[in-house]
Amino acid sequence: MIDLRSDTVTKPDDEMRDAAAGAEVGDDVYGEDPTVNDLEARAAERIGTEAALYVPTGTMGNQIAARVHTERGQEVLADRKSHVVKYELGGLAQLAGLQVRMLDADPRGVPTPEQVDASYVAEDLHRPGTGLLCLENTHNARGGLAIEPEKIEAAADAAHDRDVPVHVDGARIFNAATALDVPVTELTDPVDSVMFCLSKGLGAPVGSMLAGPEEFIERARRVRKLFGGGMRQAGIVAAPGLRALENVADLETDHENARLLADGLGEIEGLEVQQPETNIVLVDVSGLGLASEGVLERLGKDVRASAFGETTLRFCTHRCVSRNDVENAVELVAERLE
């Protein structure tokens, strides 16, 4: 079985398992887990912020950031196809009490400065005001697009001109930096906070990081506890996260495999493939006269992908998929769709 549903299906390697087994631990809620403390310090240094917080999931990281940055009732600006809008169970409303003003951002999923200005709502007697701008990099639903630093900076500057903070859902931000061949700090310096996942392309079994200024992270620590994310001897899962930070250079291999996969699938009649920028390949299957679920049924369990719309499939390469796996996957897809 070649599992291309997501890079979340990666399994920890032997080095990660050994690191977990030998991790020095303590009670993280008391700030006494040395492995977690080390991970938070290294993550902050890597991403270019004053501090960072270890959280169980990327969704929790995004929701904590929204809660800390805003006041209840405010509006948050976000692309209508962004993860915080589509895939987080309405958490912005449920957990932070926010209204979402969805934007039809440009084709790369980034609101223009003009859109930020036009969508901004000033606080007054009748209106709660705009409290946050959320960006995403890479942009998952738009095909893993690596958003350029200048686009991030332009949107962030427009928000900051209105005294609106900016959070980046950077679940795959190291994929973006790798694809753009820029230091990751070029993508994070213009914004106020960023979340990135250890458990996707970097290969850790669990965990994400929320990073930002020290004062923001201290407030985020309290909200993490409120949301049920106060873990105890978490060094056992943080230790593989430390190993994951060393895997950034391997992401280019995933990107190469994604391009190989896209080229192969693009030769199959009835499939229209969006050329990938990172490790996500979107495939329009409407030319087959089938819906996404129908195509998945034909593929069975030998090649697994995700339905990403009525007639769109998502294939995602990762560190547990080799070049040979990709080549075999293309052959199997071609056979099943004959």
Side-chain angles (χ1 to χ4, degrees):
M1 189 265 285
I2 303 170
D3 198 340
L4 295 163
R5 289 174 298 170
S6 176
D7 44 13
T8 60
V9 303
T10 56
K11 296 181 179 179
D13 57 26
D14 289 341
E15 289 184 344
M16 287 186 179
R17 294 175 185 272
D18 290 343
E24 187 178 357
V25 300
D27 191 323
D28 181 49
V29 173
Y30 291 122
E32 295 175 354
D33 191 301
T35 306
V36 173
N37 293 342
D38 189 15
L39 174 61
E40 291 175 343
R42 291 198 201 180
E45 181 181 11
R46 191 68 178 267
I47 209 77
T49 61
E50 290 180 349
L53 180 68
Y54 185 46
V55 295
T57 70
T59 293
M60 182 182 280
N62 286 334
Q63 295 301 324
I64 290 172
R67 179 68 178 258
V68 174
H69 279 306
T70 62
E71 297 179 3
R72 289 185 175 278
Q74 287 186 316
E75 292 190 357
V76 53
L77 308 180
D79 174 42
R80 67 174 54 254
K81 291 187 176 182
S82 63
H83 194 278
V84 294
V85 171
K86 293 187 67 174
Y87 301 119
E88 298 190 7
L89 286 170
L92 294 170
Q94 295 199 70
L95 301 174
L98 300 175
Q99 303 179 88
V100 180
R101 184 177 289 266
M102 292 186 287
L103 306 179
D104 288 311
D106 74 5
R108 299 189 65 75
V110 187
T112 64
E114 292 76 18
Q115 285 179 310
V116 174
D117 287 340
S119 302
Y120 171 79
V121 174
E123 179 183 348
D124 62 23
L125 184 62
H126 305 283
R127 308 183 77 178
T130 301
L132 182 65
L133 169 65
C134 280
L135 305 176
E136 186 173 335
N137 201 8
T138 64
H139 199 298
N140 178 21
R142 293 181 183 270
L145 301 182
I147 309 304
E148 302 87 341
E150 54 269 23
K151 284 186 174 288
I152 296 291
E153 185 174 12
D157 285 350
H160 290 155
D161 287 344
R162 302 282 194 170
D163 293 324
V164 174
V166 182
H167 172 70
V168 169
D169 172 358
R172 299 180 176 90
I173 199 163
F174 285 104
N175 290 86
T178 298
L180 296 167
D181 194 24
V182 299
V184 70
T185 51
E186 285 195 26
L187 303 175
T188 60
D189 282 348
V191 304
D192 301 282
S193 62
V194 59
M195 181 282 298
F196 70 89
C197 291
L198 301 167
S199 56
K200 290 188 168 70
L202 300 183
V206 64
S208 295
M209 306 303 303
L210 177 62
E214 287 185 7
E215 188 272 338
F216 168 84
I217 292 299
E218 284 309 304
R219 294 172 61 198
R221 196 175 298 277
R222 285 174 54 85
V223 177
R224 183 186 69 172
K225 187 68 166 63
L226 172 67
F227 287 176
M231 298 175 286
R232 299 298 179 171
Q233 287 72 36
I236 289 176
V237 285
L242 282 165
R243 299 292 308 176
L245 289 175
E246 300 176 14
N247 291 337
V248 172
D250 296 342
L251 296 175
E252 178 54 37
T253 299
D254 298 341
H255 298 177
E256 291 172 359
N257 285 336
R259 292 190 289 269
L260 179 66
L261 178 65
D263 290 343
L265 294 177
E267 295 178 0
I268 299 174
E269 186 176 354
L271 300 184
E272 184 174 340
V273 181
Q274 177 178 312
Q275 282 302 309
E277 295 183 7
T278 55
N279 67 322
I280 291 175
V281 181
L282 295 187
V283 180
D284 184 341
V285 300
S286 59
L288 298 172
L290 294 170
S292 300
E293 294 295 342
V295 176
L296 292 178
E297 287 179 10
R298 286 199 182 185
L299 297 181
K301 293 185 177 180
D302 290 335
V303 179
R304 304 194 73 179
S306 297
F308 227 54
E310 187 175 349
T311 58
T312 302
L313 294 182
R314 185 187 76 168
F315 295 81
C316 189
T317 57
H318 50 81
R319 63 188 296 105
C320 293
V321 172
S322 67
R323 181 184 180 92
N324 187 60
D325 290 330
V326 169
E327 293 170 346
N328 289 338
V330 171
E331 292 180 5
L332 286 166
V333 172
E335 289 176 6
R336 299 297 165 82
L337 297 181
E338 284 183 353

